[in-house]
Amino acid sequence: MELRRRLALELSRGIQRGVIREHPLTTLFWECTLRCNLACRHCGSDCRQTSLVKDMPLEDFLPVLDSIARSCDPHKVMINVTGGEPLMRKDLEACGKAFYDRGFPWGIVTNGLGLTPGRYRSLLQSGLRAVTVSLDGIGPAHDWMRGRPGVYDRALAAIRMVAASEAVEYDVVTCVNKRSIAQLPQIKDTLLSLGVKDWRLFTVFPVGRAASDPELQLSGEEFRRLMAFIRDTRKEGRIRASYGCEGFLGRWEGDVRDHFFFCGAGITIGSVMADGSIAACPSIRADYAQGNIYRDDFMTVWNTRYQPYRDRSWMKKDECGACRWFRYCRGNGMHLRDGYGKLLFCHLHRLEND
């Protein structure tokens, strides 16, 4: 790695240490439902049309926001409503209005299937401020990933509507797999034609159902192609492409994101799961929950627990123990650890080896 990049990593490391020390809550995910209208191949949740876990009642979640508001400026804490598919909730507008009335900006992560013009208008009236829509390929490639024919056109319609309205901050997120990697230039052109300015791309780590689906996993050569595509797209300047916060990328750091790798789980990012668990990033397994809203005050948990997230020296073992990049990687994302703390996957290894 060239000296310039290493110096930038060192500077970023110092800034990150200050953020860890202060651990300001800036993003809260609410897993408001486990119900979903699709059956995506890569989904990490046990989502279906009818879930055995009931939707969390709004009145159960609001005390969390009241706890946060006693310690933080609510205008600086973004509520990201996720699932499942949040549009499955008929009371989503009432939920959003309650957030808005308390001063919290809020947004949704959606597959777009239920985002009709009428529903979009009612969400805007309830204070909606941000939307993320998934697009995982062109035509059949998207439908294959989402497990239902015909949903590609619905996703495009949702993206077109949100982009044209200019009423919210929004982006499109793409899960890159063996079927879609060759389509990236076409996906880019499609998004540009719709007026999209922000595009996040990510890959699936081999956990859960994704571990037994080889079509979801990129080879080392394909992963390097993805990094090169993102880098070159960023240089073009027509759309702000970036790789997700998946893991440390070595010499690609600084080229494919607006920032250097930093796992903010439990540091700036918290979540409340469908069963009330107080967690961090929703992608992290339940082993690392820090409490439950039905017995714990959220901000007390936020300020006094989360030690495994904020002091990651315990990760310096096994293959991470002798890694020269641990200083900057800090053991990779927490979502890549199993219940015993063992690292399941390393993005840097995939970049360096087939």
Side-chain angles (χ1 to χ4, degrees):
M1 182 181 293
E2 65 268 32
L3 179 61
R4 177 183 60 86
R5 199 181 307 266
R6 191 182 289 270
L7 289 174
L9 278 168
E10 193 64 32
L11 177 62
S12 177
R13 177 176 177 268
I15 295 172
Q16 291 173 7
R17 291 175 69 181
V19 174
I20 294 169
R21 183 170 57 252
E22 298 295 327
H23 54 266
L25 179 67
T26 61
T27 303
L28 180 69
F29 286 92
W30 180 33
E31 189 181 53
C32 71
T33 182
L34 287 182
R35 292 181 295 135
C36 189
N37 46 18
L38 296 181
C40 304
R41 299 178 72 91
H42 62 306
C43 182
S45 302
D46 184 21
C47 300
R48 51 178 64 90
Q49 287 276 352
T50 303
S51 174
L52 296 178
V53 179
K54 293 184 178 180
D55 295 355
M56 179 181 290
L58 172 61
E59 57 267 27
D60 291 2
F61 181 65
L62 290 180
V64 173
L65 300 189
D66 295 337
S67 175
I68 294 171
R70 288 192 290 269
S71 303
C72 307
D73 180 353
H75 296 89
K76 297 180 179 180
V77 182
M78 182 71 184
I79 310 300
N80 284 333
V81 185
T82 184
E85 168 54 53
L87 292 176
M88 296 290 286
R89 287 188 69 126
K90 294 181 179 179
D91 67 341
L92 184 58
E93 286 84 349
C95 296
K97 184 64 164 56
F99 306 159
Y100 180 81
D101 289 344
R102 285 167 168 76
F104 289 91
W106 68 281
I108 59 173
V109 182
T110 177
N111 57 43
L113 186 59
L115 196 60
T116 62
R119 193 81 198 269
Y120 185 48
R121 285 194 298 269
S122 65
L123 290 168
L124 290 176
Q125 291 168 0
S126 300
L128 181 71
R129 288 293 176 267
V131 177
T132 293
V133 184
S134 297
L135 186 71
D136 294 323
I138 298 296
H142 175 83
D143 293 353
W144 169 82
M145 193 68 166
R146 292 286 157 178
R148 181 172 168 181
V151 295
Y152 171 73
D153 291 336
R154 299 284 291 275
L156 282 190
I159 295 169
R160 182 181 295 109
M161 177 175 60
V162 173
S165 76
E166 298 184 344
V168 296
E169 294 184 10
Y170 72 95
D171 64 356
V172 172
V173 62
T174 296
C175 178
V176 183
N177 55 74
K178 286 186 178 297
R179 292 198 180 193
S180 63
I181 188 167
Q183 297 182 334
L184 291 179
Q186 189 178 355
I187 298 173
K188 179 179 69 174
D189 290 343
T190 298
L191 295 180
L192 285 168
S193 72
L194 297 175
V196 174
K197 296 180 174 62
D198 291 282
W199 183 24
R200 280 185 295 137
L201 302 96
F202 73 101
T203 49
V204 178
F205 51 95
V207 176
R209 72 179 72 167
S212 58
D213 194 337
E215 290 194 84
L216 294 182
Q217 303 302 318
L218 301 183
S219 67
E221 186 275 331
E222 290 169 329
F223 195 45
R224 288 188 289 272
R225 280 170 51 197
L226 172 60
M227 294 298 106
F229 173 83
I230 297 174
R231 178 199 61 199
D232 295 344
T233 298
R234 291 169 65 86
K235 288 180 178 179
E236 288 176 358
R238 295 192 296 159
I239 188 170
R240 289 185 291 268
S242 63
Y243 185 62
C245 56
E246 285 290 297
F248 182 73
L249 303 172
R251 69 179 182 87
W252 294 95
E253 289 292 330
D255 288 344
V256 297
R257 302 186 182 106
D258 294 335
H259 53 83
F260 290 106
F261 171 69
F262 178 62
C263 179
I267 299 170
T268 60
I269 300 169
S271 67
V272 174
M273 309 305 285
D275 64 354
S277 295
I278 298 173
C281 170
S283 296
I284 299 172
R285 56 189 303 123
D287 306 76
Y288 295 99
Q290 301 297 295
N292 192 288
I293 65 168
Y294 292 108
R295 63 173 183 271
D296 301 306
D297 174 72
F298 181 86
M299 284 306 294
T300 299
V301 172
W302 180 257
N303 288 322
T304 62
R305 303 184 193 176
Y306 286 92
Q307 288 86 353
Y309 296 86
R310 297 167 188 170
D311 178 3
R312 301 196 181 186
S313 57
W314 62 271
M315 292 185 178
K316 195 171 175 58
K317 60 182 181 179
D318 303 327
E319 62 185 286
C320 293
C323 181
R324 68 186 187 279
W325 300 115
F326 187 87
R327 180 177 182 85
Y328 309 118
C329 176
R330 296 177 60 245
N332 230 314
M334 184 72 85
H335 67 291
L336 301 175
R337 300 276 165 172
D338 68 12
Y340 300 98
K342 181 177 176 57
L343 182 66
L344 298 170
F345 183 75
C346 177
H347 291 76
L348 187 58
H349 285 180
R350 182 163 60 172
L351 284 168
E352 295 179 344
N353 307 284
D354 283 320

